[in-house]
Amino acid sequence: MKITDIKVIVASPGRNFVTVKVYTDQGLTGIGDGTVNGRELSVASYLKDHVIPTLIGKDALRTEDIWQYLYKGAYWRRGPITMAAIGAIDMALWDIKAKAANMPLYQLLGGKSRDKVMVYKHVGGLDIGEVVEGVVAMREQGLDAIRAQVSIPGLPPIYGTGPSTDQAAGGMIHPLPNEEVWATHKYLPLVPKLFEKLRDAVGYDVHLLHDVHHRLTPIEAARLGKDLEPFRLFWLEDAIPAELQEGFRIIRQHTTQPLAVGEVFNSIFDTTTLITEQLIDYIRVTSVHAGGVTGLKKIFDFASIYHVRSACHGPMDVSPVAMGCNIHVDVAINNFGIQEFSGYTEATHEMFPCSWSYDRGYLQPGEAPGHGVEIDEKVAEKYPYAPAYLPVARLEDGTLTSW
Ligand code: CS2
Ligand code: MG
């Protein structure tokens, strides 16, 4: 089955998405997600200028060989743009392969290992009371796992804590990067107070999670982990900037708080120290940023040897196509942990009709052949690309910091 053409579609039904559509000489098509939030057009160019011309005429069913061809063949390995481009092509090829087999993708990955995929959703708030109310309401909607974030009193609301984290990151996405303010000494004592109130309100039956967004140093993260231990969090996410994997050794020495990291990782080599030394409990790579279904499966299989479980990144900027691929992997692997799920705008659902479905805290992959997600190109035309950036963060004295 030969690849005859590949199209790149960039559209913004609420958030910018980069989608590839692969055509074959047998009439089967497949789609893949190549979105890198805030750097979308670079992936589109990488695909159009450097990937697509090399793939025309190749056998669409050779997913592993094409993955290696794009990874090793480029000479310049890894990196978010390269791996998102590889990821997009890989998802589309797995889609075609599963359609050719007339099976849902999960069957080609080993079949179902579980009946349903547990997700967590986000609750943010300007103060502790607002977050508690939000978590109680979400629990009533059937969620068994909830991420809770709170603004720091006296500072403007920061990314992830606004009132509507489900949609467009609470209004924190702007045509140019917004500048936010961060103060660790005000944040550190606040978070344990939040989780104390949350446990009082919802008890210990529900999984509670928290995302630090890479904002602490290892010893600060160790302090926070210790302070949170009585409240038994499911995880503490991205406690420190993760480029220096060794930093997690310091956190691990001090706390039994489970740790999650990896949403900015794009290859197995970003994870080797963390996984082999068992410095983390959950690895947060996602199909779009880690080289598609092939890349994701390699990382999760490696993690399984070391008791590290999966936790695919799944915010709004991971498109429904990558979400579909994540769900098929989630349901098939043995070391599944949890799946993040923020939900999408109505326009996004209109643009990406899909067979996966969400119901009361759980996702199902659906039974359509392939990964089950299609793109309506007529709808995509209604929502052209619009520049949109994540914020940057500064300390109160103006120093640029991680967020
Ligand atoms: C977040 C994301 O989902 C998460 O855990 O950290 O909102 C992340 O900041 C964005 O996806 C970045 O594009
Ligand atoms: Mg995160």
Side-chain angles (χ1 to χ4, degrees):
M1 190 189 301
K2 283 198 165 45
I3 298 174
T4 51
D5 193 13
I6 305 177
K7 210 193 259 184
V8 180
I9 302 150
V10 183
S12 183
R15 293 295 281 270
N16 289 310
F17 294 119
V18 179
T19 312
V20 295
K21 185 164 184 179
V22 177
Y23 296 78
T24 63
D25 61 357
Q26 307 209 356
L28 286 177
T29 60
I31 63 169
D33 178 22
T35 307
V36 175
N37 194 1
R39 298 291 183 272
E40 298 86 357
L41 300 184
S42 299
V43 189
S45 150
Y46 189 104
L47 283 161
K48 281 191 253 187
D49 299 333
H50 307 298
V51 169
I52 294 172
T54 70
L55 296 183
I56 306 303
K58 289 213 158 33
D59 181 350
L61 297 178
R62 294 178 63 171
T63 42
E64 178 67 25
D65 185 67
I66 288 179
W67 194 94
Q68 300 290 347
Y69 178 82
L70 294 175
Y71 182 79
K72 294 181 176 156
Y75 187 69
W76 310 107
R77 299 179 187 193
R78 307 161 63 185
I81 306 300
T82 298
M83 296 311 288
I86 295 177
I89 299 292
D90 184 78
M91 285 180 222
L93 297 184
W94 275 102
D95 193 20
I96 289 169
K97 192 196 294 288
K99 283 175 179 167
N102 198 26
M103 284 182 182
L105 173 57
Y106 70 80
Q107 293 290 14
L108 276 54
L109 303 173
K112 279 192 180 177
S113 285
R114 61 195 46 77
D115 301 328
K116 53 185 183 175
V117 169
M118 180 169 74
V119 309
Y120 71 93
K121 286 183 160 238
H122 304 173
V123 171
L126 297 179
D127 56 39
I128 290 179
E130 202 178 303
V131 183
V132 172
E133 254 175 54
V135 168
V136 169
M138 198 164 268
R139 185 78 176 120
E140 280 160 12
Q141 292 162 25
L143 270 290
D144 285 332
I146 302 166
R147 188 190 89 167
Q149 309 290 127
V150 68
S151 288
I152 301 175
L155 295 183
I158 46 168
Y159 180 86
T161 64
S164 57
T165 38
D166 265 9
Q167 301 295 331
M172 292 299 174
I173 302 292
H174 295 266
L176 285 173
N178 186 37
E179 302 225 339
E180 300 190 340
V181 187
W182 177 252
T184 296
H185 66 292
K186 296 179 183 170
Y187 165 82
L188 280 182
L190 180 68
V191 182
K193 281 186 203 142
L194 167 68
F195 282 92
E196 186 179 6
K197 293 281 180 235
L198 284 172
R199 285 301 184 202
D200 287 349
V202 294
Y204 283 80
D205 271 0
V206 56
H207 300 302
L208 295 178
L209 299 76
H210 182 68
D211 190 350
V212 184
H213 285 294
H214 322 271
R215 288 165 172 143
L216 301 177
T217 66
I219 203 67
E220 289 163 352
R223 168 86 267 159
L224 181 60
K226 269 182 131 158
D227 291 349
L228 286 171
E229 277 179 19
F231 312 115
R232 307 268 169 142
L233 266 59
F234 186 87
W235 78 37
L236 191 62
E237 174 184 339
D238 289 351
I240 57 172
E243 303 89 296
L244 185 65
Q245 298 178 46
E246 290 85 342
F248 279 80
R249 289 188 190 131
I250 297 173
I251 313 177
R252 219 34 163 188
Q253 277 162 21
H254 294 285
T255 177
T256 57
Q257 169 58 61
L259 301 170
V261 74
E263 64 180 51
V264 300
F265 292 166
N266 47 69
S267 102
I268 204 162
F269 299 102
D270 298 320
T271 71
T272 46
T273 302
L274 291 170
I275 290 178
T276 57
E277 294 187 24
Q278 302 180 71
L279 300 177
I280 56 169
D281 303 279
Y282 297 92
I283 180 72
R284 301 228 334 107
V285 285
T286 198
S287 52
V288 50
H289 301 133
V293 173
T294 300
L296 195 62
K297 197 61 173 63
K298 287 182 197 298
I299 296 173
F300 288 162
D301 287 347
F302 171 58
S304 73
I305 302 170
Y306 296 92
H307 305 156
V308 175
R309 282 183 280 174
S310 76
C312 287
H313 190 210
M316 269 190 73
D317 49 283
V318 164
S319 97
V321 184
M323 181 60 70
C325 290
N326 290 346
I327 299 166
H328 283 272
V329 174
D330 290 339
V331 87
I333 57 174
N334 176 257
N335 59 324
F336 169 74
I338 199 166
Q339 171 66 56
E340 182 182 24
F341 183 65
S342 300
Y344 295 103
T345 62
E346 269 179 37
T348 302
H349 279 298
E350 195 197 348
M351 182 171 139
F352 292 108
C354 62
S355 74
W356 59 256
S357 58
Y358 169 81
D359 184 40
R360 292 185 69 78
Y362 290 83
L363 284 162
Q364 289 284 353
E367 294 300 317
H371 56 47
V373 188
E374 297 295 334
I375 185 165
D376 186 327
E377 292 175 59
K378 282 269 159 299
V379 176
E381 279 168 21
K382 290 198 296 184
Y383 303 105
Y385 167 78
Y389 289 95
L390 290 160
V392 298
R394 293 188 185 277
L395 303 180
E396 288 173 289
D397 70 358
T399 308
L400 198 94
T401 187
S402 303
W403 69 270

